[in-house]
Amino acid sequence: MKNILIMPCSNGKYHYPYIRDNKEFSIVANPINENQLSVIDIKDDIESQNYNGLIEAYKLYKNKNYQLAYNYYKDNLYIYSALFGLINAEYKLCSYNATFSKTSPKGPLSPEIVVNKDTLLYDFGSDIGNKDLPIDIVVSKNYIKPLLNTLMKYVKSDREIRIHSKSEDTFNIAKKNNYFTNIKYIKYNYKQGTNVHYTIIKENLLN
């Protein structure tokens, strides 16, 4: 049986808007106008999984590597979303605007928002605790701390976790986690860039 893969979300998404009373809304962490809603506002529709405007998470993101990863891992693929937290790739979402990136024009989203609020609202990734499989993680340094904190809610401390990264910063942040006792660090020498996570996955974790 394959391992579990956790990959990050992406700013590049297809347009699957949330519509209420024939009006389209933008889903964000902290609404600031009448055209925006938070994940709390749409909680019932998301949890029902029957709302017409939803699409499976692996289909929401434009980069082809989400589909490639899903073809290989199926329901053992998870995505760490800056707004919804840890989600199984088969769960359905709508389009949203959120990022951990400090350079994003949308502005940074505090990791505490995801860890302390959204992942308590949504348990789209809680089934990861029922799968006794090693977990491969490919995320940036901005994601690793809140992701590990989220996994602590669902996963036993001795689960084998392998963090794949080019960045020593990612490893150093992960090493501060005192809960998990079986973390391995796999370093790559790819040139740093926006696609380095996809390169790691495509060349090393899909075979």
Side-chain angles (χ1 to χ4, degrees):
M1 184 175 291
K2 298 180 178 70
N3 299 332
I4 290 169
L5 173 64
I6 301 176
M7 61 191 299
C9 62
S10 169
N11 281 332
K13 304 177 186 72
Y14 291 108
H15 189 58
Y16 286 89
Y18 179 87
I19 299 174
R20 178 181 290 178
D21 297 328
N22 296 318
K23 180 179 179 180
E24 184 175 317
F25 291 89
S26 178
I27 307 305
V28 298
N30 298 300
I32 59 174
N33 61 55
E34 62 182 13
N35 296 316
Q36 296 178 339
L37 293 173
S38 74
V39 287
I40 298 175
D41 298 321
I42 64 171
K43 182 175 186 291
D44 290 343
D45 288 332
I46 295 291
E47 288 188 336
S48 75
Q49 290 288 285
N50 292 320
Y51 178 72
N52 289 334
L54 305 182
I55 188 171
E56 291 85 352
Y58 73 90
K59 295 179 181 178
L60 177 62
Y61 305 100
K62 291 182 177 180
N63 190 290
K64 65 181 181 181
N65 286 287
Y66 291 92
Q67 181 69 61
L68 291 174
Y70 178 76
N71 291 345
Y72 187 78
Y73 286 92
K74 301 299 182 183
D75 66 347
N76 283 334
L77 174 65
Y78 291 78
I79 299 167
Y80 196 63
S81 161
L83 191 61
F84 291 97
L86 182 67
I87 52 177
N88 186 290
E90 293 184 342
Y91 273 85
K92 297 177 181 178
L93 302 176
C94 59
S95 303
Y96 63 91
N97 292 318
T99 180
F100 285 137
S101 173
K102 295 179 180 178
T103 61
S104 168
K106 301 182 180 67
L109 173 63
S110 167
E112 286 72 23
I113 291 177
V114 169
V115 173
N116 295 331
K117 186 178 68 176
D118 297 345
T119 54
L120 297 179
L121 282 172
Y122 297 103
D123 288 321
F124 288 176
S126 61
D127 65 323
I128 198 171
N130 301 325
K131 302 174 180 179
D132 190 19
L133 296 169
I135 299 174
D136 289 299
I137 295 175
V138 186
V139 298
S140 71
K141 65 179 182 180
N142 296 317
Y143 281 64
I144 192 63
K145 179 180 178 180
L147 171 55
L148 290 176
N149 287 346
T150 299
L151 288 175
M152 287 168 57
K153 299 182 177 75
Y154 309 127
V155 175
K156 292 181 179 180
S157 61
D158 61 351
R159 179 80 70 89
E160 181 179 351
I161 294 177
R162 298 187 290 247
I163 300 176
H164 303 255
S165 182
K166 172 187 170 57
S167 169
E168 287 289 347
D169 290 339
T170 301
F171 297 146
N172 291 335
I173 292 170
K175 289 174 182 177
K176 295 178 181 179
N177 182 287
N178 296 318
Y179 175 79
F180 291 108
T181 60
N182 192 14
I183 296 182
K184 295 178 173 62
Y185 303 92
I186 303 171
K187 192 174 190 305
Y188 298 89
N189 293 317
Y190 297 115
K191 292 182 179 180
Q192 190 66 35
T194 56
N195 294 321
V196 66
H197 302 110
Y198 302 133
T199 301
I200 290 173
I201 291 169
K202 185 175 180 179
E203 295 188 2
N204 302 277
L205 298 173
L206 297 182
N207 50 55

